[in-house]
Amino acid sequence: MSVLARAGAGPLSAAARAVVPWLWRGKYFSSGKEPAENSLVTPMLRHLMYKIKSTGPITVAEYMREVLTNPAKGYYVYRDMLGEKGDFITSPEISQIFGELLGIWFISEWMATGKSAAFQLVELGPGRGTLAGDILRVFSQLGSVLKNCDISIHLVEVSQKLSEIQALTLAEEKIPLERNAGSPAYMKGVTKSGIPISWYRDLQDVPKEYSFYLAHEFFDVLPVHKFQKTPQGWREVFIDIDPQVSDKLRFVLAPCATPAEAFIQCDETRDHVEVCPDAGVIIQELSQRIALTGGAALIADYGHDGTKTDTFRGFCGHKLHDVLIAPGTADLTADVDFSYLRRMAQGKVASLGPVQQQTFLKNMGIDVRLKVLLDKSDDPSMRQQLLQGYDMLMNPKKMGERFNFFALLPHQRLHGGSHQMNARQSKPSPSPVAGFGELVWR
Ligand SMILES: C[S@@+](CC[C@H](N)C(=O)[O-])C[C@H]1O[C@@H](n2cnc3c(N)ncnc32)[C@H](O)[C@@H]1O
């Protein structure tokens, strides 16, 4: 039986996922007309105005960091913004097939690199835990393949609210969670399938062991600095209080050069760029870890390969939202620059992609998987939901072209050899990396 059929041996996951009039965040920003009720003076706006009055205009990166992850008032910290009642929808929330295929990707890479005796699955920004849940279901259903492999789950999450939702989704409720706010792992438990699971605020805190890393719609929420080319050279965009309108913010240009300019390439030809130093730090950390211990990182997001300019935008209630209005009530995001991620790997590891989501999922066998699920279901509404979810993920006019997959792998993975070989294992010849080429199941 094919692996895609076996991965579906269990029940359809409460596949009642949200479809489809809601907004996904890959949509582009148009400068945003706001409903009157959004032009509120939020606690975050008061906080930012106080800050700007005290120390002067702030960078867009500082604005994003404060608005999204300020520990007291940040947008991500105390709310569930995903799904139909929230502000946007993501691929794992649309269809169970998405997470299942990613689960198969990790197993395929684990097999291709010599079936290590143990691995950590590390997810950055796991949202509601839906994606990890779908991956874990595949791990359970392919238990015979993974038998004797010690798996542990490690979630990097800054949001208190979302970490509670992740625990409800993933953790076995009969086993109490251990909480220790002062420890690098601030929460620990056991998943419903009996796998140890831990939560961290920072990737640095995750044990440096053989790991597979996953970041879905994570890099796009990291703070960006914005720069405009002027006759005097690059000038950074700052955020200041509008002197004409009370309680309103506006963009201004810095009068002189600022330190983040160092992140712009010398031969840059665009006249407006966004740079994300935090993404660079995380990619460097991932690259070092993978070069040292093996494993792989799979990054999926909307983005470009060093070509786009002004992509900073906001979302609220499934509508585009002016980024400067009612801060703290809307999500802020910017497209991921995959060329920058590749550069930040600094040759320590090999990179693959970006490839479009429709290509990646097709290579992973989404059509076979959809057919298996349709054949199993007699419920017309479930079948319709599966078909609508497929269309949303794959249609080039929807998420199929805007979203991309990008991977970091040890050089040996592409050129033969493995960190994880032992005396009993023969040297595996390099097979194509699934998703970036067709899935080859051995
Ligand atoms: C856009 S959501 C994506 C959620 C999920 N991956 C999905 O696709 O449904 C971004 C996620 O990253 C988390 N997050 C945002 N900034 C973070 C940071 N600096 N460190 C760790 N997690 C962060 C958010 O709390 C949330 O879980």
Side-chain angles (χ1 to χ4, degrees):
M1 201 192 306
S2 102
V3 68
L4 294 164
R6 281 168 66 201
L12 284 178
S13 113
R17 309 253 162 139
V19 195
V20 162
W22 297 294
L23 193 75
W24 66 99
R25 295 153 76 247
K27 284 257 184 193
Y28 270 120
F29 183 50
S30 64
S31 204
K33 294 209 170 37
E34 296 310 314
E37 65 267 24
N38 274 346
S39 50
L40 298 169
V41 180
T42 57
M44 177 56 74
L45 178 62
R46 281 203 204 93
H47 164 70
L48 291 166
M49 293 191 54
Y50 179 75
K51 195 175 171 71
I52 293 169
K53 279 180 189 157
S54 316
T55 56
I58 56 174
T59 64
V60 171
E62 191 172 358
Y63 180 77
M64 272 182 97
R65 195 184 314 281
E66 282 294 317
V67 170
L68 295 181
T69 56
N70 176 294
K73 307 181 183 78
Y75 170 80
Y76 273 109
V77 178
Y78 291 112
R79 71 174 76 202
D80 175 14
M81 69 296 297
L82 286 139
E84 60 189 284
K85 294 199 184 108
D87 293 324
F88 56 86
I89 185 109
T90 60
S91 294
E93 302 292 335
I94 288 170
S95 172
Q96 68 177 87
I97 302 179
F98 186 83
E100 291 167 349
L101 296 179
L102 267 51
I104 289 170
W105 191 88
F106 289 113
I107 299 179
S108 151
E109 275 311 295
W110 170 77
M111 292 174 81
T113 49
K115 301 188 183 178
S116 60
F119 71 80
Q120 306 187 137
L121 178 69
V122 183
E123 186 178 358
L124 308 177
R128 281 181 174 166
T130 308
L131 180 53
D134 290 333
I135 292 173
L136 283 172
R137 197 175 56 258
V138 169
F139 287 1
S140 292
Q141 286 162 2
L142 296 178
S144 59
V145 179
L146 286 166
K147 70 172 181 286
N148 304 330
C149 181
D150 263 336
I151 301 174
S152 54
I153 307 297
H154 304 261
L155 304 180
V156 179
E157 178 56 83
V158 285
S159 165
Q160 191 177 323
K161 174 78 178 175
L162 288 177
S163 62
E164 294 301 332
I165 296 174
Q166 290 150 19
L168 282 175
T169 309
L170 300 169
E172 169 55 59
E173 57 201 53
K174 292 196 193 104
I175 303 176
L177 291 161
E178 275 174 52
R179 292 167 196 271
N180 185 348
S183 150
Y186 62 85
M187 199 157 74
K188 284 185 179 183
V190 175
T191 68
K192 295 182 200 306
S193 52
I195 295 176
I197 182 167
S198 310
W199 280 261
Y200 311 80
R201 287 194 184 79
D202 199 307
L203 173 61
Q204 303 271 1
D205 297 327
V206 176
K208 288 189 166 72
E209 305 286 346
Y210 184 86
S211 300
F212 291 107
Y213 299 91
L214 171 62
H216 182 260
E217 291 208 33
F218 168 75
F219 279 90
D220 70 83
V221 299
L222 299 178
V224 293
H225 291 264
K226 288 173 78 66
F227 284 89
Q228 179 69 44
K229 199 177 265 172
T230 72
Q232 292 75 42
W234 288 107
R235 289 292 178 263
E236 184 160 3
V237 178
F238 275 66
I239 291 168
D240 196 2
I241 297 167
D242 189 333
Q244 312 287 335
V245 189
S246 63
D247 299 327
K248 198 164 183 300
L249 299 173
R250 62 167 186 168
F251 290 113
V252 292
L253 278 189
C256 53
T258 49
E261 187 183 329
F263 291 94
I264 303 176
Q265 293 282 92
C266 304
D267 56 356
E268 181 56 64
T269 55
R270 288 169 287 175
D271 59 9
H272 189 104
V273 288
E274 293 165 343
V275 292
C276 184
D278 287 16
V281 170
I282 292 173
I283 290 291
Q284 284 175 352
E285 171 76 16
L286 290 174
S287 304
Q288 263 164 18
R289 285 169 173 248
I290 293 168
L292 195 70
T293 61
L298 187 62
I299 295 164
D301 224 310
Y302 39 84
H304 58 88
D305 220 5
T307 51
K308 295 261 162 69
T309 55
D310 179 9
T311 71
F312 181 41
R313 58 202 185 278
F315 292 98
C316 183
H318 297 271
K319 291 201 176 78
L320 287 159
H321 177 98
D322 187 322
V323 291
L324 297 185
I325 302 277
T329 63
D331 186 29
L332 301 179
T333 175
D335 277 22
V336 174
D337 179 349
F338 290 102
S339 70
Y340 175 70
L341 302 193
R342 197 181 302 115
R343 239 180 9 257
M344 288 298 108
Q346 295 173 328
K348 292 193 181 83
V349 289
S351 65
L352 284 179
V355 299
Q356 291 175 347
Q357 174 158 301
Q358 57 175 353
T359 308
F360 183 91
L361 296 179
K362 190 135 239 68
N363 283 338
M364 290 302 303
I366 190 169
D367 295 310
V368 180
R369 183 70 187 131
L370 176 70
K371 183 169 181 316
V372 170
L373 290 176
L374 287 173
D375 288 350
K376 273 177 192 297
S377 170
D378 314 322
D379 175 357
S381 75
M382 179 73 78
R383 290 171 64 85
Q384 193 197 357
Q385 211 168 56
L386 287 166
L387 289 166
Q388 283 186 332
Y390 175 93
D391 179 58
M392 186 79 159
L393 297 182
M394 295 293 284
N395 189 326
K397 295 202 176 77
K398 296 178 181 171
M399 299 167 105
E401 282 187 355
R402 280 284 288 129
F403 284 76
N404 293 279
F405 281 77
F406 178 82
L408 301 175
L409 303 147
H411 287 293
Q412 305 92 300
R413 169 66 182 94
L414 301 187
H415 306 116
S418 162
H419 274 86
Q420 295 298 320
M421 280 191 306
N422 60 38
R424 284 181 295 124
Q425 290 166 332
S426 60
K427 179 179 171 173
S429 62
S431 53
V433 177
F436 299 87
E438 273 195 31
L439 173 66
V440 179
W441 198 260
R442 305 203 223 188

